[in-house]
Amino acid sequence: MENKYENEDRYYTAKKRVDEIKGFYGNLISYVAVNLGLLVLNLVTSPQYLWFFWPLLGWGIGVLIHAMVVFRFMPFLGKDWEQQKIKEFMEKEKENEQNRNWQ
């Protein structure tokens, strides 16, 4: 029989994951709505200069990074990198501890 606490842990992990995904979609909807509004505002007030592109680009980079984090697509900072860094830090700490013991 499964432990009650294991079920609770899985539930809270799953709930946290769902909240992350909901947060991303909320960010994406806001991004689309606000940038559509900025596009309309730009075309009505000064169609000769298309400035709406700059917030679209800046916020778009943020949305892309948010998506990469939420959907766990981090090619340059993935699990392999994380495990390698943990191992590296543990080895350094072990060396420092050995050096302290010799002194």
Side-chain angles (χ1 to χ4, degrees):
M1 183 164 163
E2 228 175 298
N3 189 345
K4 176 183 174 185
Y5 297 111
E6 288 175 5
N7 271 344
E8 286 181 13
D9 285 345
R10 280 200 303 269
Y11 171 79
Y12 287 116
T13 301
K15 182 166 178 16
K16 181 181 176 195
R17 186 90 175 97
V18 168
D19 289 343
E20 289 172 354
I21 293 170
K22 280 174 46 179
F24 167 73
Y25 284 122
N27 188 7
L28 184 62
I29 290 168
S30 299
Y31 171 77
V32 171
V34 168
N35 282 296
L36 282 174
L38 289 175
L39 171 64
V40 170
L41 180 66
N42 183 190
L43 293 176
V44 168
T45 60
S46 58
Q48 66 277 9
Y49 176 67
L50 299 178
W51 52 261
F52 82 94
F53 177 73
W54 300 112
L56 180 83
L57 180 65
W59 194 354
I61 291 169
V63 169
L64 179 64
I65 292 170
H66 191 180
M68 291 172 67
V69 169
V70 168
F71 296 110
R72 296 190 168 109
F73 177 73
M74 298 297 284
F76 42 87
L77 294 176
K79 280 286 185 193
D80 293 336
W81 175 86
E82 188 176 313
Q83 291 299 325
Q84 182 181 359
K85 281 297 182 187
I86 289 171
K87 184 178 177 182
E88 180 183 322
F89 288 139
M90 288 174 67
E91 287 173 1
K92 281 183 182 180
E93 185 61 32
K94 185 177 180 181
E95 288 174 14
N96 289 341
E97 189 174 303
Q98 288 174 349
N99 288 339
R100 283 189 296 249
N101 288 339
W102 286 101
Q103 294 176 353

